């Protein structure tokens, strides 16, 4: 559903306090369980008759509830109370910290029920899909703040999109200050390819490494909403994990974007024993399955 499907109240129409009263009454009915999740609200005509107002006034009230994430409008069918899905856990503080956009992580990733998705609207120049990208970009305001650098500074941006067997979607971004990438070595005038994992490359001689993680929520930008298959009014969970060198220099920031209604976070110390089990000898990460409540560790 798009914003323009519910037009704003026309100038000079019913006092704006009326639609606020209607929105407040419907909100209370939804939160009190009078309208169950997934059930329809009365039609615009019925609501207009109930409150003795025009349909544009009713639409303004419904638009408010859409933006609050309480209802969704299905064209040709009506307005429905949004169903809040079960939340799955993202485990914070797992050791060792995985590089979530490294191709070497795919095997672990798939065992937890995740698969990479092609990036919408992008191809390899030959009509093929791109399942991940790594490019150099200028730091915008948010990236510059995460990495402690100036606006416009060169940053390595790596991006992946994932889907889970539980029909969940996440966007994974990695940002690295380009200055921390060692210059390529040359032999006989030719640049030698690098074979070491990305994290080993940027951590070399900068340890011991520390990590700083924050969890916030906000409304998604339009591109984020489309990538994560979100309805209008649905917020996103924003998890940012920053890698710090021994002198406190930010080396890399991993950013997870996911539907806030579908995911929540927990920590190693707070996770229930029956959920985390024991760490595997091979990876150190908790044993998880696609059917478990914990679907990602970082």
């Amino acid at each position: 559903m798009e914003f323009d499907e519910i037009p704003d109240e026309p100038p000079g129409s019913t006092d704006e306090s009326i639609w606020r009263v209607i929105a407040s009454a419907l909100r209370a009915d939804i939160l009190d369980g009078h309208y169950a999740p997934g059930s329809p609200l009365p039609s615009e005509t019925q609501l207009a008759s109930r409150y003795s107002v025009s349909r544009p006034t009713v639409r303004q009230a419904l638009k408010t509830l859409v933006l609050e994430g309480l209802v969704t409008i299905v064209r040709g069918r009506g307005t429905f109370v949004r169903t809040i899905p079960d939340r799955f856990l993202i485990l914070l503080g797992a050791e060792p910290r995985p590089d979530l956009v490294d191709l070497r992580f795919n095997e672990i990733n798939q065992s937890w029920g995740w698969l990479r998705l092609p990036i919408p609207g992008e191809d390899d120049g030959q009509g093929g899909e791109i399942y991940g990208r790594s490019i150099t970009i200028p730091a915008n305001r948010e990236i510059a703040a995460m990495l402690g650098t100036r606006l416009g500074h060169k940053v390595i941006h790596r991006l992946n999109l994932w889907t889970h067997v539980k029909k969940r979607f996440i966007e994974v971004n990695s940002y690295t200050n380009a200055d921390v990438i060692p210059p390529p070595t040359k032999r006989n005038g030719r640049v030698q390819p690098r074979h070491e994992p990305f994290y080993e490359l940027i951590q070399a001689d900068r340890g011991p490494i520390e990590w700083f993680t924050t969890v916030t929520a906000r409304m998604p930008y339009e591109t984020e909403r489309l990538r994560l298959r979100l309805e209008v009014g649905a917020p996103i969970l924003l998890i940012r994990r920053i890698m710090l060198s021994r002198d406190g220099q930010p080396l890399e920031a991993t950013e997870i974007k996911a539907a806030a209604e579908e995911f929540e976070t927990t920590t190693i110390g707070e996770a229930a024993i029956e959920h985390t089990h024991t760490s595997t000898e091979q990876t150190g990460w908790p044993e998880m399955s696609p059917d478990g409540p914990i679907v990602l560790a970082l």
Side-chain angles (χ1 to χ4, degrees):
M1 189 214 69
E2 303 296 336
F3 286 115
D4 57 8
E5 293 178 26
I6 313 176
D8 292 329
E9 184 178 11
S13 61
T14 307
D15 187 341
E16 70 170 19
S17 63
I18 301 299
W19 66 258
R20 294 183 187 277
V21 169
I22 298 171
S24 179
L26 292 173
R27 183 187 304 112
D29 284 343
I30 292 170
L31 296 178
D32 290 342
H34 182 72
Y35 297 111
S39 65
L41 294 185
S43 68
E44 289 183 5
T45 301
Q46 291 171 324
L47 290 173
S49 176
R50 176 188 298 180
Y51 293 101
S52 300
V53 296
S54 65
R55 289 182 62 183
T57 300
V58 170
R59 290 187 190 127
Q60 186 66 21
L62 294 177
K63 178 178 179 179
T64 299
L65 299 182
V66 168
L67 296 177
E68 292 175 359
L70 291 174
V71 303
T72 185
I73 295 179
V74 180
R75 183 175 296 177
R77 295 184 57 199
T79 305
F80 296 82
V81 178
R82 289 187 60 198
T83 301
I84 304 301
D86 292 334
R87 285 190 173 96
F88 289 86
L89 292 174
I90 296 176
L91 185 64
L92 306 181
E95 291 287 355
R97 300 300 206 286
D99 182 358
L100 300 179
V101 288
D102 194 311
L103 289 178
R104 297 171 179 85
F105 188 65
N106 276 354
E107 184 176 348
I108 298 294
N109 185 26
Q110 291 172 8
S111 71
W112 292 348
W114 292 98
L115 291 174
R116 292 202 302 168
L117 288 173
I119 301 174
E122 300 188 15
D123 59 52
D124 60 4
Q126 299 178 349
E129 296 177 319
I130 295 180
Y131 283 80
R133 72 170 183 220
S134 178
I135 59 175
T136 300
I137 62 171
N140 63 19
R141 182 178 61 184
E142 291 184 350
I143 298 171
M146 281 192 289
L147 295 178
T149 188
R150 68 181 183 278
L151 193 69
H153 188 74
K154 288 185 178 180
V155 170
I156 306 300
H157 177 209
R158 299 179 296 153
L159 167 68
N160 273 335
L161 299 176
W162 294 352
T163 181
H164 193 261
V165 294
K166 296 291 187 179
K167 303 301 181 184
R168 304 294 192 265
F169 301 91
I170 64 172
E171 178 181 324
V172 185
N173 293 275
S174 169
Y175 303 101
T176 308
N177 189 330
D179 290 345
V180 308
I181 305 295
T185 59
K186 293 184 178 181
R187 181 179 300 173
N188 298 326
R190 295 183 177 181
V191 175
Q192 299 300 301
R194 291 188 170 115
H195 300 289
E196 62 267 55
F198 189 81
Y199 270 16
E200 291 183 12
L201 185 68
I202 63 178
Q203 291 177 10
D205 300 322
R206 293 189 172 98
I209 298 298
E210 296 185 352
W211 305 86
F212 179 72
T213 302
T214 61
V215 182
T216 57
R218 62 166 169 79
M219 299 306 295
Y221 306 138
E222 181 66 6
T223 54
E224 296 168 338
R225 188 176 71 83
L226 295 175
R227 285 175 177 173
L228 298 175
R229 279 74 162 176
L230 300 177
E231 297 177 357
V232 173
I236 61 171
L237 192 66
L238 200 61
I239 306 172
R240 288 173 173 166
R241 185 192 68 187
I242 299 176
M243 179 197 304
L244 301 171
S245 67
R246 61 173 173 267
D247 59 0
Q249 176 190 12
L251 301 177
E252 185 264 358
T254 294
E255 184 179 67
I256 300 289
K257 298 175 184 178
E261 293 179 335
E262 298 176 351
F263 295 92
E264 58 189 18
T265 63
T266 187
T267 63
I268 290 288
E270 295 175 349
I273 295 177
E274 63 267 25
H275 290 170
T276 58
H277 300 295
T278 58
S279 296
T280 64
E281 295 181 0
Q282 292 80 8
T283 66
W285 295 308
E287 294 176 346
M288 296 188 286
S289 71
D291 297 324
I294 297 177
V295 295
L296 183 63
L298 67 146

